[in-house]
């Protein structure tokens, strides 16, 4: 195993305490710290030490793909790390967004090749399913809820201009597409007035509270109303949400460990100053009710759980070791990335042990032995999802 050093992304919605506290640094940090990236994504690759200097994980994988990734991973995904592990720390809402499935990503990326850079939606030809495990109380919007509930929520504001949207929603799941299209295509000159009318209605209840909170960050954004069509979840630490392709979602507040397919394909639908392509988003979205996006962990062995997901790009295990507990042995395919969440742990793959404290991480290549974790604490282990 080798120590892995991940870059921190300073997006404006990030926390100035969560990642700093995890890594034992002074709080508040000098600016927002939104995500700690532990992978080989070209946008912000992690590094290891070589001769006292930082060596990019991208370069190491390119030089020795068979050693680092293993033949099965290279055959299935090509010579690239198929997952990206993150610590996500949100102090303000992220954009409403969805991700394409593999076929949509390939087609969209090919079509974008002929478009000017500022009009492209796809950064790569890969899909981007996501799993997030809450480390703190975590608030999120995840997938469409029952349209009848959404119709009632919007009707309660008593805003006449919303009647076409309410009518579409009362048509059931078949009306979801039209409701979203109406809201996201609202004339730009009238958007601020529409949101202002909703806020002025003095409606009560969670939906009104959510609308007021989102409008405080994004006044005049129709995404404030699209958000009311989604499941509003509050996760306890240890609970997880699974976001497959085509599901509209937004993370609102909290800290979590997130693992995803290694892609940067994001189609936005609001709550953002960034580009929104309504037509492309409508093409990718799944207009169906997502009854329960929460994923329960399943036990693997003493102190070890994993969250089952229906993709083979990644798998995520959590290991908890109490004082005096025997070491945990994990046999997993391909490269392994280990993040220490709490305590003091040693992780060994037969090539050498690495000691980790909270916020530190390590990586081991595919051609090493099983992982052995010892000590006292908690760690998250990311691997490809190949059995």
């Amino acid at each position: 195993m080798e120590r892995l050093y991940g870059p921190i992304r300073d997006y404006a919605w990030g926390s100035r305490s969560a990642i700093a506290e995890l890594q034992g640094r002074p709080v508040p940090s000098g600016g927002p710290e939104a995500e700690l990236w532990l992978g080989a994504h070209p946008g912000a690759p992690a590094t290891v030490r070589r001769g006292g200097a930082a060596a990019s994980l991208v370069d190491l994988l390119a030089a020795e793909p068979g050693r680092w990734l293993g033949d099965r991973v290279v055959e299935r995904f090509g010579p690239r790390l198929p997952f990206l592990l993150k610590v996500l720390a949100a102090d303000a809402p992220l954009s409403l967004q969805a991700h394409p499935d593999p076929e949509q990503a390939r087609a969209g990326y090919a079509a974008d090749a002929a478009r000017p850079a500022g009009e492209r939606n796809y950064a790569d030809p890969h899909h981007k399913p996501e799993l997030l495990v809450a480390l703190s109380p975590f608030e999120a919007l995840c997938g469409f809820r029952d349209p009848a509930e959404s119709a009632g929520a919007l009707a309660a504001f008593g805003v006449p201009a919303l009647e076409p949207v309410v009518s579409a929603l009362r048509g059931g799941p078949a009306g979801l597409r039209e409701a979203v299209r109406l809201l996201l295509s609202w004339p730009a000159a009238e958007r601020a007035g529409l949101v202002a009318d909703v806020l002025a209605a003095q409606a009560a209840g969670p939906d009104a509270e959510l609308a007021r909170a989102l409008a405080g960050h994004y006044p005049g954004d129709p995404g404030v109303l699209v958000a009311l069509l989604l499941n509003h979840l509050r996760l306890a630490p240890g609970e997880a949400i699974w976001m497959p392709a085509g599901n509209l979602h937004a993370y609102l507040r909290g800290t979590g460990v997130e693992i995803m397919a290694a892609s940067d394909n994001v189609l936005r639908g609001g709550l953002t100053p960034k580009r929104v392509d309504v037509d492309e988003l409508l093409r990718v979205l799944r207009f169906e009710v997502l009854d329960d996006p929460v994923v329960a962990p399943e036990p693997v062995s003493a102190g070890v759980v994993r969250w089952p997901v229906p993709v083979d790009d990644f798998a995520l295990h959590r290991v908890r070791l109490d004082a005096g507990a025997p070491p945990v042995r994990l046999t997993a395919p391909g490269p392994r990335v280990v993040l220490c969440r709490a305590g003091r742990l040693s992780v060994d793959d037969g090539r050498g042990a690495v000691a980790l404290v909270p916020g530190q991480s390590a990586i081991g290549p595919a051609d090493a032995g099983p992982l052995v974790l010892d000590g006292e604490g908690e760690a998250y282990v990311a691997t490809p999802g190949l059995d």
Side-chain angles (χ1 to χ4, degrees):
M1 298 296 291
E2 297 186 63
R3 275 289 312 278
L4 186 66
Y5 300 87
I8 294 174
R9 310 309 299 269
D10 59 352
Y11 308 135
W13 49 262
S15 168
R16 295 186 62 180
S17 61
I19 295 177
E21 287 177 348
L22 174 65
Q23 295 185 327
R25 294 185 282 108
V27 173
S29 56
E33 297 181 337
E35 295 179 344
L36 171 65
W37 283 28
L38 300 171
H41 192 285
T47 61
V48 300
R49 298 296 183 188
R50 288 287 186 274
S56 167
L57 196 54
V58 170
D59 295 338
L60 295 179
L61 299 185
E64 297 182 283
R67 172 177 178 256
W68 279 99
L69 300 170
D71 292 340
R72 291 184 63 203
V73 170
V74 173
E75 289 171 5
R76 171 66 180 86
F77 302 104
R80 65 186 187 92
L81 188 65
F83 63 83
L84 174 61
L85 183 67
K86 298 180 180 180
V87 177
L88 182 148
D91 203 36
L94 283 68
S95 61
L96 280 171
Q97 58 188 263
H99 310 298
D101 64 26
E103 183 178 347
Q104 290 166 338
R106 288 191 293 268
Y109 184 67
D112 270 1
R115 298 189 178 112
E119 298 178 10
R120 295 174 186 170
N121 294 304
Y122 294 88
D124 54 67
H126 308 298
H127 69 161
K128 192 187 176 187
E130 302 174 344
L131 175 77
L132 182 138
V133 181
L135 296 180
S136 71
F138 198 93
E139 189 176 359
L141 302 170
C142 299
F144 291 114
R145 62 175 173 172
D146 185 334
E149 294 181 14
S150 300
L154 293 187
F157 292 109
V159 176
L162 286 175
E163 278 303 317
V165 180
V166 172
S167 178
L169 291 169
R170 285 177 175 155
L176 272 173
R177 175 185 290 272
E178 178 63 6
V180 174
R181 186 195 68 79
L182 285 169
L183 290 171
L184 293 184
S185 302
W186 210 272
E190 301 174 14
R191 291 177 177 181
L194 175 66
V195 175
D197 287 346
V198 168
L199 300 181
Q202 300 297 319
D207 293 296
E209 292 178 8
L210 177 61
R212 285 192 289 268
L214 294 177
H217 292 281
Y218 299 100
D221 190 322
V224 169
L225 301 180
V226 177
L228 303 184
L229 312 185
L230 306 180
N231 296 299
H232 187 188
L233 302 181
R234 291 178 173 85
L235 303 178
E239 292 187 312
I241 45 179
W242 160 246
M243 280 293 99
N247 278 273
L248 195 61
H249 62 284
Y251 301 145
L252 303 181
R253 183 179 293 272
T255 305
V257 169
E258 186 179 30
I259 188 168
M260 62 186 63
S263 169
D264 203 23
N265 286 326
V266 179
L267 296 163
R268 296 176 177 86
L271 307 183
T272 178
K274 296 182 179 180
R275 182 172 179 269
V276 174
D277 186 330
V278 175
D279 290 339
E280 187 63 16
L281 180 64
L282 293 176
R283 190 182 74 83
V284 165
L285 284 180
R286 293 181 180 176
F287 293 98
E288 57 193 25
V289 175
L290 185 62
D291 289 323
D292 187 7
V294 177
V295 180
E298 60 181 27
V300 174
S301 59
V304 182
V305 301
R306 72 173 180 178
W307 290 266
V309 294
V311 296
D312 58 5
D313 305 74
F314 58 80
L316 184 67
H317 292 76
R318 184 188 67 206
V319 178
R320 286 178 173 168
L321 282 162
D322 295 327
V328 165
R329 179 185 174 94
L330 276 182
T331 301
R336 287 73 58 90
V337 175
V338 181
L339 167 69
C340 180
R341 161 75 167 85
R344 292 180 175 274
L345 298 171
S346 169
V347 56
D348 192 353
D349 62 359
R351 300 279 181 82
V354 171
L356 298 177
V357 296
Q360 293 182 344
S361 57
I363 187 169
D367 67 351
L371 292 182
V372 178
L373 291 91
D374 198 3
E376 178 182 4
E378 178 179 289
Y380 287 83
V381 181
T383 69
L386 302 171
D387 292 328

